Structures are given as structure tokens and as C-alpha cells.
Amino acid sequence: MSDTTGTVEAPQPGRYSVPGPPPRPRSQLVGTGFAIAAGAMAVAGALGHYMARRHASGIDPGHDWLAGQSVPNPQLVYALITLLVSVVTAHWAVWASGRDERGHTWVGMALTLVMGLAFFNMVMFSLNRMELEIGSGEWATLAYAVTGLSLAILIVGMFYLGLMTLRSLGGSVGRDRSTPLGAAVFFWDFAVLAWAATWYVVYVVK
Amino acid sequence: MTDATTEATHSGGSAGAVPAEDPTAFGWLNTADHKRIGRLFIACSLLFALAGAVADLLVRFDLASSSDHTVLNADSFVQVFTFTRDALVFGMLIPLFLGIAIYVVPLQVGAPNVAFGRAAALSFWGWLVSAGVLVGAYIANGGPGGGFSDGVDLHLLALAGLVISLLTGAICVAVTTLTMRAPGMYMDRTPPFAWSALVTASMLVVSLGVVLGQIVILYIEHRYGPRFLGGNYGIWSRIDWMYRTPQLFIYVVPVLGVVAEIMLAAARRWVFEPLALYFTMGLVGLFGFGAWANFGITNEGTDIVDGLEGIVLVGLYAGALAGVSGLLALLGFTLWQSRNRPRPRSGAVSLTRPNTAVVAAFGAGTLIAVAALVGLIGAGVDWLQIAGRGTDGNAPLRFTTWVTGQQSLLIYGAGLLGALAALHWWAPKIWGRRLSELAGFASLLAIGGGALLAWLGPTLSGVFTEQPQFVYGAPLLTTRYASQVDDSGAEGLSALGAVGVVIVLVGVALVVLNLLVSVAMRKGAETEADPWDGLTPEWLLPSPPPLGPAAALPELTSGTPLLDAELNGNGLNGTGAAAERDAEEVPA
């Protein structure tokens, strides 16, 4: 019998047959899918709580508790459109990666990341313009919490995209090696969808 | 190694040296090996079991006292009460089975390691650090109802850390089962425990995600906002669904996997319909989704859910009961089918030669069924109240210590007995040694008997005295509790529950002692690769398997290769069910 921590005994002959690891198809993609499921439930839980509080806020929910705040809709719509375009460029990168088009892959990812940064710039501008003060009221606090959760998911998505972009720069392109990049883009799709849901509930329906 | 399995195993393949992991303490710190991570989870979560039971004991002693808060004062009562649930669920129940799954599942599916080994290690260390911070927050007068505001914030952050860490570990286990199975081992041939781990991990992902969103809102509200959710007294009502039924059923699905593994090994027979096995376990997980039962949220829009809540709860318990009873019936039928089957060798586990693992598995499965049945009855009664029929002004059972009884039944009873069965069953594979059967039976009796008392006391108190389990959002808990306890005589029933917890505590201490003596002090008997005549693939490997990735992996096309080998003599092809049928078709 082998020691639990020290010397390692070789597997018993005859008990093993296939040398080398088995194929592990799409582990990262499936893992990303589970992370998306958890993130989706977190956003849904937070939005559900927001809606429940909104429903209980007064006779005219959505107006009573805004306390005179005005939402800069044009800027937030432009921010959402920017994100939607970034989804297109992200999928362009994955498409190009599967065909071993490195130039297109990197341009696609660079555009995605730049548009992600532009989105954050626009959202920060909008929030500053609203002069939304955390703790100033129930709506402001809930809006901060839910918006912050969605933005955190987008930041994680940006890091994930950046990491997989660096990996593709290192040579992970081609039909069989694009799955990690595809997984990152899959997460980015979810992050954009989560933001769209948050934007609609908090800033359109209010 | 049995002759049958020797013949069954394919020959060939390299059996070269396996790279060893660093045997020093530093090796444990930076390991990404599923065997070490699993052991770390198991050891640390057992310590939390002790801590949680001690805290529970303080709460129950306090409730058993005829005078106000003799053990704990009003504030610390709330904190110790909530800490008990944190420690028993997030400190013990989830991580204990997560640790067992991280160890066993890769071996069962023929994977070299758990998926994302570094993430699994991060899951353990994140969980440990978060749990430490949680304890620190409570010590600093934080936690729900705590008087130190920063401590309350710290508690929420620690809780978020616990959730994220356990989610990470759950994702690793789920991905291992889904994508790292040996080629040819399809999902409908997966070993029962691996399947149960997949079900639990998937349901944890979708349910703990919800609470993460809640924690974000609670943190922002408590730290910055106007306290429109009730501040530190509003926290518990919004997160306590994680610690009560039906959500608790999700956490004990792996127990059903353990029960199936052991019962099928005792029967030395595969179930006649494998899909029913997987379906019933999935049903329990699916109907255990507890976020629907979130009274703290639904109460904020009561008219939205008017009456619906009761129907949903009855449906959830009915579904869970259907799943558990279906599975137990399936396993019972399989045991009955194999009643006259000769045992292949004397060391094999069977119902006629029961050991700790078999009896504990039987007890755990039965207690889950009882919990589902009792839960269904309670939900039915509450439904009548919600719907306005049969109401007599009584408090709904879900607000009384009835809930504490359910928690005791599932956490102490099913959870700890299931863990005891799993530890005794897989101890040879995890540590290379058997645990003491004498200590095992003693701990089994203590945990089983104690859990029954810990269930009966608060359940009867909830039914007959309407003793509140927890008064949501009320700072003056003392008065409310005192009026209930003193006037109704509930202290006697609370004392019964407290005695049960004392006995459970003795049982858990015996488990820890057994592990220390048998494993750490190496007093347990060393074992061969397959001491029980198990069915599933991990029993093909040495006990314990070497650390680090295997040089070569088993060729598997079934979750029960050893049964296939025994029945059709050519081993690792075909499912157990198919081999079973083949064997029966051959005339004597």
C-alpha cells in the first residue's frame, strides 16, 4: 500500500489500460456555463428583491420612491448599444479564431475590450450626472446595489476576455483551440444580458 | 483483488512511476490534487460540526430554562442561534459532502483530477478563510442582531465569501462529472454518488446564486443605506431559507448517492431501471430549490403571492417525498431481488453482515424520507392557514420550532448519518485504513438516537406550544421568548431536544476520535484495494490511490465495472444492468 503523502506506488499492472488522460471536451465551456447560471441567479435574485420593494413602495410604484431623481436615458441607451456592438465584435473574434485568422481575432478582441471600457466610461458619467447618492433613499440604495452587481459581473467578464485574449496571442487559435476564447465570449454575452436586464428594471421601469 | 476482477481487467498499458506531490506541509498548502483537497475539506468540516453542535446546545439550554436567558442574553441569543445554522450548514453539511465528492468523484468517473484543480484548492482556502472571518465577526459582536455595525458588515462579507467558495467547489465537481468521465461512460452509466454530486452541485449553483444577490443588497443597505430592510435585525429573515427545508433537501442529495452506492454493493446487483435511480435523485434536488420559500422576500409583496406560497410549499415537499420514496423503493426492490444470491467472498458487504456503513446508510435514507413526509404534513397544515381554511389563530408551523425539528432531522440525522456511512465506506480509499467498527457503531447509535430526540423535542413544542423558532426583526426577543416558554411549559420539550443534541455531540466526538485513532495514529487495519467488494470504479484503484495524476487511467464504459466483471467475466464493457440481464438469461 502506498503512503498517503510520501512515496508513491505505481498503479497495479493490469488494472489500467489506456495511457494518457482521456479527452476532456469543453470543460472550460461547461464550467463557464455553471458560473453563468450562478451569476444569472444572483442578478435575478437581486432584481426580484428590487421589484418586491418597488411593489411595496407606495401607491404609484416607480415614481413615489424616486424622490425627484432624473435618469439620463440617452446616455444609458448609448452605453447599452455599445455593449451590444461589443458582443458582435466578440463573436467575430471567436469566428476568426476558429479559422486560424489571428489578425481578425486580435482586432475583434481589442475592439471588444475598448468598447467595454467605453461602456464603463459612459455609465460612470451617467451615474455622476444623476448625482445618485448612496444611502440617500431606498431607491438610490437598491439601484446602487443592483447596478453594482451587474457592473461587477461585467468587470469579471472583461478580465476573462482579456485573459483569454492573451492566451490566443500565445497561439491558442484554430478550430480545436478556440473553446477557451469561446467560453470567455459566452460569459461576456451573459454579462451584457445581465446589464440589459438591470438597465430595463432599474432605469426604465424604475 | 478478486479473480473475477483480475480476469475482467484489460491488460496492457503503462504502469510507470507517478510523480509524487510535495509531502511537506507546504505541499498541503499549494496542492491542486483532489485527494488532498478532499481530505482537507473533510477534516475541517468535522470540526465545524462540533462547533455548530456546541452552539446549538447553548441555544437549546437557553430555551429549556424556565427563566429568561440564563445562558445567553437577548442579543447573544440571536447571534448564537444564527451561528448555529451557519456552522452546521455552511461549515459542516455542504463542505463535508463537497470534500467527499472532490475526493471520490474523479476516481469514480476515471478522471486524473477534479476539474480546475487550482480552483478547487481556492475553493477550500476561500471557504476556510471566510469561515474564520465569520467566526471572528460573531466574536466581535457582529452577525444578525449584532451590536457592532462593522462586525455585521464583516459577517455579510464572510457569508458572501463562503457562498462564492462553495459555489466554486460545486462547479468543479459538476464539471468533473459532466466532462471528464472516461470515454464510453455515458451519463446513464455514471456511479450513483457521482450523479448525486452532480445534482447537488447544479442545484447549489442555482440556489446559492440567489442568496449572493440578496447578500449584496443587504450589505449595501446595512453599510450605507437608510435601514429600510431592518438593519441587522432584517438580515436573517432574508437569508434563513438557506438553512431550512426545502432547501436542506438539496444538501442531503449526496446522502442518497451514498445510500445507493452501499445498498447496491450489499445487493451485488444493479437496479432494474437505472434511469429511475438517476431520475429520483434529480427529483429530490429539483424540488429542494428553496429560494421559492423565501418568506422574507415574499412578505414584502404579500398580495403578489397570496395563497400561492402554500401551494408551492406543498408541491415542493410532495416532489421531494416522491423522489426519496421512489429511490428507496427501487433500492429495496433490488435488495429483495438479490436475497438468495451467494456472496462472492467473505469480506463482501451485505445486509446479513451489516457494518457501520450499511446501517448508517439505511438510517440516513429512512430519515430523509421521514423528513419529507413530515415536511409535507406541515406544509399542508400551513397551506390551510394561508388559504384561510381551518385557521384557528395559531401560528403557522413554519414560524415555530417545528422548523428546528426539521433541521435536526436533516442535518443531524440524515446529514451526519450519511457522512458517517460515507466515511466508513470510503475510509479505505481515502486513507488506506478501515475505521473502527466498534467506535463506528457507537457513534451511529449516538448520532441516530440523538438526532431523533433533537427532532422530537422542538417538533412537539412547535405543534403543541407554538414556541416560536425565531422572532423575525424583533429586537426584544427576550420578552417574546420568555412569554412563550414560561407560559406553555415548552421548556420540557426544549430540554428533550437539548439532551438529543448532547448525545449527537458525543456521536460526532466519537467520529472525530475514530478518525484520529484509526487514521492519524494508524491504528486502523490496512486494507486491500477493494475490501467491501464494491461495484464502482474507485475500487479498481489501490487504497489509497497515489497522490498526483495517474500515469494511466482506467478504461471504463460503465459505472459498475466490478459487477460487470463478476457477471459476464469480460469486464469493463456494458452496463451493470445489461450484464445482469445477460447473466440471468443463461440457463443454470
Side-chain angles (χ1 to χ4, degrees):
Chain A
M1 192 186 72
S2 64
D3 190 354
T4 53
T5 55
T7 315
V8 175
E9 187 181 88
Q12 295 175 13
R15 290 245 163 184
Y16 295 83
S17 56
V18 183
R24 273 170 268 164
R26 299 172 185 269
S27 284
Q28 189 172 335
L29 195 62
V30 174
T32 303
F34 274 106
I36 286 172
M41 293 308 287
V43 172
L47 288 178
H49 200 159
Y50 176 93
M51 294 298 283
R53 294 298 306 179
R54 175 185 183 276
H55 184 81
S57 65
I59 298 168
D60 192 6
H63 294 280
D64 291 349
W65 70 341
L66 228 59
Q69 294 272 1
S70 63
V71 176
N73 278 319
Q75 285 82 354
L76 287 171
V77 170
Y78 294 146
L80 181 64
I81 291 172
T82 307
L83 273 189
L84 292 176
V85 174
S86 78
V87 169
V88 175
T89 56
H91 280 275
W92 169 34
V94 176
W95 180 85
S97 174
R99 282 155 185 78
D100 210 5
E101 296 267 8
R102 292 175 186 230
H104 283 258
T105 303
W106 298 337
V107 170
M109 292 313 299
L111 282 174
T112 305
L113 292 171
V114 167
M115 277 188 276
L117 291 173
F119 162 81
F120 278 103
N121 184 43
M122 274 187 273
V123 169
M124 288 303 129
F125 169 78
S126 305
L127 294 179
N128 283 330
R129 183 167 172 178
M130 284 173 69
E131 295 179 346
L132 192 63
E133 189 181 344
I134 190 167
S136 61
E138 182 171 349
W139 181 79
T141 304
L142 283 171
Y144 250 99
V146 180
T147 304
L149 181 63
S150 288
L151 290 180
I153 290 172
L154 279 162
I155 289 171
V156 171
M158 291 272 288
F159 271 111
Y160 195 7
L161 277 176
L163 207 63
M164 291 305 117
T165 303
L166 289 175
R167 194 163 154 175
S168 67
L169 283 171
S172 289
V173 291
R175 178 173 293 182
D176 300 328
R177 305 177 71 185
S178 297
T179 307
L181 189 62
V185 170
F186 184 26
F187 190 89
W188 185 247
D189 292 343
F190 155 67
V192 171
L193 194 64
W195 171 259
T198 303
W199 165 77
Y200 182 74
V201 170
V202 177
Y203 298 101
V204 177
V205 179
K206 304 182 186 68
Chain B
M1 185 191 305
T2 63
D3 292 339
T5 54
T6 310
E7 288 171 14
T9 315
H10 290 205
S11 60
S14 62
V18 178
E21 282 223 331
D22 184 354
T24 64
F26 184 71
W28 285 89
L29 287 174
N30 72 350
T31 186
D33 185 277
H34 71 105
K35 302 174 198 79
R36 277 183 162 169
I37 299 167
R39 286 174 189 154
L40 287 169
F41 259 124
I42 292 168
C44 294
S45 55
L46 282 174
L47 296 180
F48 269 98
L50 287 170
V54 168
D56 193 17
L57 199 56
L58 294 176
V59 170
R60 296 199 193 217
F61 274 146
D62 203 71
L63 289 175
S65 166
S66 58
S67 55
D68 293 354
H69 294 297
T70 49
V71 182
L72 305 164
N73 62 36
D75 279 341
S76 57
F77 179 89
V78 182
Q79 289 163 292
V80 177
F81 178 93
T82 55
F83 173 74
T84 301
R85 274 67 183 166
D86 283 335
L88 289 177
V89 171
F90 283 114
M92 186 272 284
L93 192 57
I94 302 177
L96 180 54
F97 283 101
L98 185 62
I100 295 171
I102 285 175
Y103 192 101
V104 174
V105 168
L107 304 181
Q108 287 200 324
V109 300
N113 197 0
V114 70
F116 317 122
R118 290 282 167 206
L122 189 67
S123 161
F124 169 73
W125 293 111
W127 168 76
L128 192 65
V129 170
S130 301
V133 173
L134 187 86
V135 173
Y138 274 109
I139 291 171
N141 195 19
F148 178 46
S149 185
D150 286 344
V152 178
D153 294 336
L154 197 62
H155 163 267
L156 286 169
L157 288 177
L159 209 54
L162 282 173
V163 169
I164 292 171
S165 302
L166 293 174
L167 274 174
T168 306
I171 289 174
C172 294
V173 170
V175 173
T176 305
T177 313
L178 279 175
T179 69
M180 294 176 70
R181 278 169 288 116
M185 184 194 279
Y186 298 108
M187 283 307 296
D188 60 354
R189 299 176 186 185
T190 311
F193 181 71
W195 172 260
S196 69
L198 172 64
V199 170
T200 296
S202 306
M203 293 310 297
L204 283 180
V205 164
V206 294
S207 58
L208 292 189
V210 177
V211 86
L212 198 57
Q214 303 293 315
I215 291 171
V216 169
I217 288 179
L218 288 168
Y219 178 80
I220 298 288
E221 182 259 359
H222 186 267
R223 185 157 185 84
Y224 302 105
R227 304 277 171 87
F228 55 88
L229 297 177
N232 57 352
Y233 285 104
I235 293 172
W236 188 247
S237 64
R238 290 171 178 82
I239 61 172
D240 82 328
W241 59 269
M242 292 187 298
Y243 310 94
R244 53 161 71 208
T245 52
Q247 178 76 8
L248 281 175
F249 286 113
I250 289 178
Y251 309 149
V252 297
V253 170
V255 175
L256 295 176
V258 174
V259 172
E261 290 271 348
I262 296 174
M263 291 301 165
L264 293 177
R268 290 216 65 73
R269 188 185 180 97
W270 192 233
V271 291
F272 74 92
E273 182 48 72
L275 286 182
L277 182 83
Y278 302 124
F279 178 75
T280 48
M281 278 194 267
L283 208 59
V284 179
L286 194 65
F287 282 94
F289 183 64
W292 292 109
N294 189 346
F295 306 117
I297 302 303
T298 53
N299 281 349
E300 282 160 0
T302 312
D303 53 332
I304 303 175
V305 294
D306 191 19
L308 183 66
E309 194 173 281
I311 300 172
V312 169
L313 273 178
V314 169
L316 290 176
Y317 284 111
L321 180 62
V324 178
S325 53
L327 177 69
L328 295 181
L330 192 66
L331 295 174
F333 182 65
T334 310
L335 285 167
W336 181 78
Q337 279 183 310
S338 68
R339 62 195 181 283
N340 295 324
R341 187 166 211 149
R343 301 294 153 210
R345 68 188 176 97
S346 61
V349 66
S350 74
L351 286 187
T352 54
R353 287 189 296 272
N355 59 13
T356 305
V358 172
V359 181
F362 183 79
T366 306
L367 288 184
I368 296 176
V370 170
L373 180 63
V374 171
L376 180 62
I377 294 168
V381 171
D382 278 0
W383 182 25
L384 292 177
Q385 297 252 20
I386 292 168
R389 294 187 294 275
T391 179
D392 56 356
N394 292 337
L397 285 175
R398 66 172 190 271
F399 293 128
T400 68
T401 48
W402 167 278
V403 177
T404 305
Q406 286 266 292
Q407 289 167 333
S408 302
L409 199 57
L410 282 168
I411 297 174
Y412 290 142
L416 282 178
L417 279 185
L420 183 69
L423 291 176
H424 273 263
W425 183 249
W426 281 303
K429 203 52 63 186
I430 298 176
W431 297 289
R433 291 172 189 277
R434 290 190 195 203
L435 300 182
S436 160
E437 282 294 318
L438 181 65
F441 267 107
S443 53
L444 190 157
L445 290 174
I447 291 172
L452 285 176
L453 291 179
W455 164 56
L456 274 176
T459 299
L460 295 176
S461 184
V463 172
F464 294 114
T465 73
E466 298 171 25
Q467 185 182 17
Q469 192 220 17
F470 193 85
V471 184
Y472 295 103
L476 299 173
L477 283 160
T478 314
T479 315
R480 299 285 298 274
Y481 267 103
S483 64
Q484 295 286 342
V485 172
D486 290 345
D487 298 344
S488 62
E491 61 266 26
L493 292 169
S494 295
L496 184 68
V499 170
V501 177
V502 170
I503 300 173
V504 167
L505 198 54
V506 171
V508 177
L510 277 172
V511 174
V512 174
L513 196 67
N514 196 354
L515 284 170
L516 283 174
V517 173
S518 300
V519 177
M521 295 169 66
R522 298 174 183 266
K523 301 289 186 189
E526 293 190 15
T527 65
E528 56 191 308
D530 184 12
W532 313 121
D533 262 4
L535 309 181
T536 42
E538 73 272 24
W539 303 107
L540 286 167
L541 300 166
S543 293
L547 288 173
L553 293 158
E555 181 184 5
L556 300 166
T557 55
S558 161
T560 55
L562 289 155
L563 181 63
D564 299 341
E566 180 188 323
L567 292 175
N568 61 19
N570 60 2
L572 308 179
N573 292 311
T575 65
E580 188 94 4
R581 283 194 294 273
D582 293 346
E584 285 177 351
E585 285 167 6
V586 177

